[in-house]
Amino acid sequence: MIKTYVAFDLETTGLSEERDSIIEIGAVKVTDGKVTDRFMEFLKPAEEISPMITQITGITNEMVAHARNTKEVIDDFMGFCGEEVLLGHNILFDYKFMKRYACKYQHSFERRGIDTLKIARKVHKDLESRSLEALCAHYQIKNDAAHRAYHDALATAKLYHCLGHYFEEKEPNLFVPEPLFYQPRKEQPATEKQKRYLEKLCGWHRITVPEDLEAMTRSEASRFIDRVIAKSGRMDRE
């Protein structure tokens, strides 16, 4: 098994990499088998975090309200990853989200990766669940903040070590990094009309204009406009 990699995990507003947003990135850098660096950042989504997502992750709209500029966070995360192999639990879910953001901000994110879920499905057919939570319980890996990105990334790195200890000799091919494939649908940038309307709308309702307004896509701008209108409607009723 590889000894140097970046284990990462994301928390998002939903399950669709095309419609939903990243709200937290967590990662650990492992070098020669030892954790040497970590990454933890909130991102402010274009839409509000739903009560269901808050219930699952514990992340509220207030917690992400003062997050750094999204492009800066993505730029920093790309630098953190470098060209290292990626590790994740159900890694394609997280990779698809991150690839879309990387493309939006003109980063190449062609990577090789290892999926601990794929390994677990092969070697743990005896378990009722191969979720990260279930596997951590099976291997007695402590994860006091499940469904928070950094803690899940760290737990995934520990799980990978456990799986390798017990199964690498029997199933060496499962521990070899493979290319990760995903090509995001090319999105059109927000129109000037959308951006100017959004600025006026924010001014009317005393809402801060998004920092990444100039980098917004048409769909992101449309969702943000809908969010402002919906929020102002609730305020009027109150």
Side-chain angles (χ1 to χ4, degrees), residues 17 29 43 47 51 66 74 76 85 87 90 96 104 118 120 132 148-149 162 174 181 190 211 218 221 232 234:
E17 69 275 4
K29 184 174 290 184
L43 288 80
E47 69 274 21
H66 302 292
I74 297 301
D76 285 353
V85 169
L87 177 78
N90 192 17
K96 286 178 180 180
K104 178 179 177 180
K118 179 181 177 181
L132 181 60
R148 288 298 302 274
C162 290
L174 292 176
F181 293 110
E211 292 180 349
R218 286 187 186 180
S232 63
R234 290 197 299 272

Side-chain angles (χ1 to χ4, degrees), residues 51-71:
M52 181 184 72
I53 296 299
T54 295
Q55 185 177 8
I56 293 170
T57 65
I59 300 172
T60 66
N61 287 293
E62 291 72 24
M63 290 167 70
V64 303
H66 302 292
R68 284 199 300 146
N69 177 279
T70 297
K71 183 180 184 303

Side-chain angles (χ1 to χ4, degrees), residues 88-91 114-124 163 173-174 176 178:
H89 196 73
N90 192 17
I91 193 170
I114 294 177
D115 189 352
T116 50
L117 177 59
K118 179 181 177 181
I119 297 171
R121 283 173 172 166
K122 177 72 173 180
V123 303
H124 275 307
L163 291 168
N173 290 339
L174 292 176
V176 176
E178 296 181 342

Side-chain angles (χ1 to χ4, degrees), residues 11 35 51 92 173 195 222:
E11 301 304 332
V35 175
L92 274 180
N173 290 339
K195 289 186 283 189
S222 179

Side-chain angles (χ1 to χ4, degrees), residues 104 189-190 192 195-196 199 209-217:
K104 178 179 177 180
E192 287 300 314
K195 289 186 283 189
R196 302 295 79 82
E199 287 177 328
V209 177
E211 292 180 349
D212 62 345
L213 175 62
E214 293 305 317
M216 274 189 170
T217 64

